[in-house]
């Protein structure tokens, strides 16, 4: 099963999204957004920018 994004409304009424792996494990959680459209734009940004993201080891 492929990964998926899930959008929900938190206790403050802000929209957030998870990125879940194929096994259902949450591997990323977004900041809060004031609108669902903004959350969807955040997902689009991850989809567009993450494939080329640099891996940086901080230890």
């Amino acid at each position: 099963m492929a990964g998926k994004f899930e959008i929900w409304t938190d206790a403050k009424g802000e929209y957030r999204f998870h990125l879940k792996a194929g096994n259902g494990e949450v591997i990323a959680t977004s900041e809060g957004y004031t609108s669902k459209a903004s959350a969807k734009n955040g997902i689009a940004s991850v989809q567009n920018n993450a494939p080329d993201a640099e891996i940086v080891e901080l230890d």
Side-chain angles (χ1 to χ4, degrees):
M1 179 175 151
K4 64 181 177 180
F5 289 93
E6 295 180 336
I7 299 175
W8 81 96
T9 307
D10 68 14
K12 293 181 179 179
E14 294 182 323
Y15 293 91
R16 296 180 179 269
F17 64 84
H18 286 311
L19 172 55
K20 286 190 170 182
N23 66 0
E25 181 179 348
V26 174
I27 56 176
T29 302
S30 74
E31 62 181 294
Y33 294 92
T34 57
S35 70
K36 188 181 287 186
S38 294
K40 288 182 178 182
N41 285 338
I43 290 170
S45 178
V46 171
Q47 290 172 320
N48 289 331
N49 293 303
D52 298 324
E54 179 180 4
I55 297 172
V56 178
E57 295 186 27
L58 300 176
D59 56 346

